[in-house]
Amino acid sequence: MDSDTLYSIGELARRTGLTVKTIRFYSDRGIVAPTDRSPAGYRLYDIDAVARLDLVRTLRELGLDLPTIRKVVDRELSLPEVAAAHAEALAVQIRVLRLRRAVLTAVAERGSTPEETELMHRLTQLSEDERRRLIGDFLDAVFDGLDAAPAFAGVMRSMTPELPDDPDAEQVQAWVELAEMSLDPDFRAAVRRMAEDQAAEQTRSDTMGPRRDIAAAVRDQVGPALTAGIDPASRQADPIVAAFTAYYAHLLDRPDDVELRRRLTTRLESVNDPRKERYLQLLAVVNGWSAPESLAPVFDWSVQALRVRTPQ
């Protein structure tokens, strides 16, 4: 082809790989106008039409609408500006599709009811402000009246999920499950009890100087015993149990007696609630953190060790 030659629609179709019908459609829309007409009235196009059709095909494959494409080929709009706007719109569509895929995947894996499916869908449609309010309501219910202490302010921050702008399917599914948990009254009440117990211990600790909470103390004492394979009912476990019960007695300024050990057993069972561990696992997924270490084996060992040594 040269710059002076005019071509019929059929010749243009062979050159571009588009169908005659498609080229005629673009021509009717004024996107690729004919340069002239033959004596018989057929449309004729110059070499520039090839370049325009190649560009039109590319932009259509990228999803741009015809009115926008016409403005681009007519140089009424800058192609880079159009590309940037379209890329942003695609990013929004991709995010929506990811959310839908995550919901459908969760429904399939969990065997959800229609009501549960509707709830999951609504949770994924929340704006960032709405997500913050939902979690804020949960944390307020758990820590209301306790959040004045600096330690609890830090705990509240560490329990706050931050779903990224472009989450993957796993993060979306984790967010949905975490949000459902935060709405569960039983879970809220359980976490509230843990917070109140820790606050009571913290209040006593503050009068004696900074102290680790009992969960951290038990973890440090029992962790090596677990690694060493010590049976919680064996005599080898006696000094370990004595150490963390003595610490708890000192923390509460109470004697290390049967009543204290019963109280400690209840406290560790509360801390060992699997729902709390699940919340922290989901939180790590949503926030892109490393998976938290499970303390369930530590608390299971401690509770068993206390029970065999405490009269019922």
Side-chain angles (χ1 to χ4, degrees):
M1 289 185 175
D2 59 60
S3 59
D4 297 325
T5 306
L6 297 180
Y7 305 94
S8 68
I9 282 185
E11 292 170 325
L12 208 58
R14 287 190 292 273
R15 174 64 179 82
T16 61
L18 296 170
T19 65
V20 169
K21 182 179 180 180
T22 298
I23 295 175
R24 185 177 290 117
F25 175 80
Y26 290 155
S27 184
D28 290 342
R29 295 298 185 277
I31 296 173
V32 182
T35 304
D36 201 353
R37 286 186 179 268
S38 70
Y42 294 111
R43 308 177 206 198
L44 298 174
Y45 300 86
D46 61 16
I47 187 70
D48 290 340
V50 176
R52 289 169 72 94
L53 285 170
D54 285 340
L55 177 58
V56 170
R57 178 171 54 189
T58 298
L59 296 179
R60 285 296 287 164
E61 289 174 352
L62 289 172
L64 270 68
D65 60 272
L66 288 178
T68 300
I69 290 175
R70 179 173 180 176
K71 291 180 180 179
V72 170
V73 296
D74 289 342
R75 301 185 183 281
E76 295 176 17
L77 289 176
S78 159
L79 180 55
E81 291 176 351
V82 170
H86 194 62
E88 183 176 349
L90 283 176
V92 173
Q93 293 177 32
I94 290 170
R95 185 174 186 276
V96 170
L97 289 173
R98 281 180 174 171
L99 293 175
R100 290 176 181 172
R101 178 179 180 274
V103 170
L104 291 172
T105 300
V107 169
E109 292 178 349
R110 297 163 61 174
S112 302
T113 65
E115 293 76 17
E116 291 169 337
T117 302
E118 182 181 357
L119 174 60
M120 282 190 284
H121 179 62
R122 283 194 286 109
L123 290 175
T124 60
Q125 300 304 306
L126 296 179
S127 67
E128 181 178 355
D129 286 342
E130 290 170 330
R131 292 196 301 269
R132 286 184 179 277
R133 285 197 294 271
L134 185 150
I135 297 301
D137 182 62
F138 164 65
L139 295 176
D140 287 345
V142 170
F143 295 106
D144 183 42
L146 308 175
D147 52 358
F152 281 106
V155 170
M156 290 178 68
R157 286 193 298 272
S158 71
M159 291 183 67
T160 302
E162 298 284 352
L163 190 67
D165 293 335
D166 190 22
D168 58 32
E170 185 182 17
Q171 287 175 308
V172 173
Q173 290 181 52
W175 155 252
V176 168
E177 186 177 346
L178 186 149
E180 289 174 330
M181 291 183 69
S182 71
L183 294 170
D184 182 354
D186 290 340
F187 179 62
R188 289 188 175 202
V191 180
R192 174 69 185 185
R193 286 192 295 271
M194 294 181 214
E196 289 174 340
D197 288 341
Q198 186 172 347
E201 294 164 8
Q202 186 67 42
T203 299
R204 178 59 191 168
S205 174
D206 288 343
T207 66
M208 302 181 295
R211 300 271 178 175
R212 293 172 301 163
D213 64 56
I214 186 58
V218 168
R219 177 197 61 208
D220 293 345
Q221 292 284 346
V222 174
L226 273 174
T227 302
I230 296 176
D231 186 333
S234 68
R235 289 186 176 182
Q236 284 180 290
D238 288 346
I240 300 167
V241 176
F244 67 70
T245 55
Y247 181 86
Y248 194 54
H250 182 63
L251 192 64
L252 299 183
D253 193 24
R254 295 183 53 168
D256 182 2
D257 55 15
V258 170
E259 184 58 35
L260 179 126
R261 293 191 175 205
R262 287 175 179 164
R263 177 172 176 171
L264 178 55
T265 301
T266 301
R267 175 82 166 96
L268 294 178
E269 287 175 331
S270 172
V271 173
N272 199 27
D273 189 325
R275 293 173 298 179
K276 175 193 172 187
E277 183 165 297
R278 181 59 179 164
Y279 183 96
L280 297 178
Q281 291 170 343
L282 295 169
L283 181 67
V285 173
V286 172
N287 288 355
W289 298 341
S290 299
E293 176 189 2
S294 173
L295 295 180
V298 166
F299 296 133
D300 287 340
W301 190 101
S302 306
V303 169
Q304 185 177 349
L306 283 167
R307 288 195 179 283
V308 299
R309 292 169 175 81
T310 305
Q312 299 305 308

